[in-house]
Amino acid sequence: GENVEQHPSTLSVQEGDSAVIKCTYSDSASNYFPWYKQELGKRPQLIIDIRSNVGEKKDQRIAVTLNKTAKHFSLHITETQPEDSAVYFCAASGYALNFGKGTSLLVTP
Amino acid sequence: EAQVTQNPRYLITVTGKKLTVTCSQNMNHEYMSWYRQDPGLGLRQIYYSMNVEVTDKGDVPEGYKVSRKEKRNFPLILESPSPNQTSLYFCASSPGTDYNSPLHFGNGTRLTVT
């Protein structure tokens, strides 16, 4: 089945810096790539998603880029704030929806 | 309010004692799914359902059962729980009939099996 690799597993940045999380997938038929944010003790919530016919999507401080040829996609958070601290999961959907193992992001003031 | 409701939030039980975790959604979603979350392993799918009376195995179905007798409900059944099923469980739903729509997660059920 689909294998989704996510890096790094932990990321620490200073407030105001940018954060980048990268994911790779194996199934070339994958066509939907969501990102979920999970704050401590809470449920995962969708923050942004992209489909295979689009190369980049932006929503305020968050952007996602997709490279279908290389089979990787990335989450970019600019001007990070302490409330961005959370675990972020990428996922790739084709035959099934498979999640990466998560990145724990810590934004220090 | 549109939501996915799971019950209970916390459950401590003993090995072998059957239990059911309920999941209900009020958004008329077609697709529902169960995940377990373990440290370092991310979210792994247990079972999913694309419509009423249609269920399929996910990546880690062993030891679990589900049913989808009506659209809104998708209970997770552990017939004979074992300690390796100690985990955080999430139910989720989405409006599509496949994997290509955003998932709405419930608040989770933390299960401990002793």
Side-chain angles (χ1 to χ4, degrees):
Chain A
E2 173 75 277
N3 186 34
V4 179
E5 299 281 342
Q6 183 171 347
H7 298 281
S9 55
T10 60
L11 179 59
S12 183
V13 300
Q14 287 221 303
E15 183 176 2
D17 288 349
S18 295
V20 180
I21 302 170
K22 298 181 179 181
C23 289
T24 59
Y25 60 98
S26 58
D27 186 356
S28 56
S30 293
N31 54 16
Y32 176 61
F33 306 91
W35 286 88
Y36 290 85
K37 174 184 180 183
Q38 186 179 27
E39 295 176 358
L40 189 63
K42 297 198 175 177
R43 59 186 168 178
Q45 291 192 289
L46 181 80
I47 54 170
I48 195 166
D49 57 9
I50 192 168
R51 299 188 185 272
S52 58
N53 57 347
V54 175
E56 183 174 358
K57 185 176 178 180
K58 196 171 180 180
D59 182 3
Q60 299 181 350
R61 296 186 295 107
I62 293 173
V64 58
T65 58
L66 171 64
N67 184 326
K68 284 216 75 179
T69 303
K71 291 192 226 168
H72 66 71
F73 56 113
S74 300
L75 179 71
H76 305 253
I77 306 174
T78 58
E79 300 170 26
T80 53
Q81 301 166 3
E83 51 264 40
D84 294 328
S85 296
V87 177
Y88 292 81
F89 292 98
C90 65
S93 167
Y95 174 72
L97 181 67
N98 291 99
F99 286 86
K101 289 183 168 47
T103 296
S104 179
L105 173 64
L106 178 64
V107 180
T108 53
Chain B
E1 181 191 351
Q3 59 185 357
V4 178
T5 303
Q6 282 179 241
N7 280 297
R9 291 291 309 276
Y10 301 92
L11 180 57
I12 300 173
T13 190
V14 296
T15 298
K17 186 175 182 183
K18 181 180 178 179
L19 65 92
T20 299
V21 184
T22 64
C23 175
S24 181
Q25 51 93 4
N26 62 1
M27 296 169 279
N28 202 36
H29 284 173
E30 301 285 344
Y31 179 88
M32 296 186 75
S33 182
W34 276 101
Y35 294 88
R36 62 177 288 173
Q37 184 175 21
D38 302 289
L41 297 179
L43 291 157
R44 294 181 294 166
Q45 190 177 49
I46 303 170
Y47 268 95
Y48 65 94
S49 170
M50 292 191 175
N51 211 331
V52 175
E53 301 292 2
V54 178
T55 62
D56 280 296
K57 295 177 181 178
D59 296 320
V60 288
E62 295 77 20
Y64 305 95
K65 285 175 58 177
V66 292
S67 69
R68 187 95 183 270
K69 295 192 171 96
E70 47 192 342
K71 198 178 210 179
R72 63 183 293 125
N73 295 324
F74 191 46
L76 180 69
I77 303 154
L78 285 71
E79 295 268 4
S80 183
S82 62
N84 64 11
Q85 293 178 298
T86 292
S87 186
L88 177 59
Y89 292 86
F90 286 102
C91 179
S93 71
S94 77
T97 55
D98 56 18
Y99 304 98
N100 298 322
S101 299
L103 287 170
H104 300 254
F105 285 88
N107 284 327
T109 295
R110 187 167 291 282
L111 172 65
T112 302
V113 184
T114 60

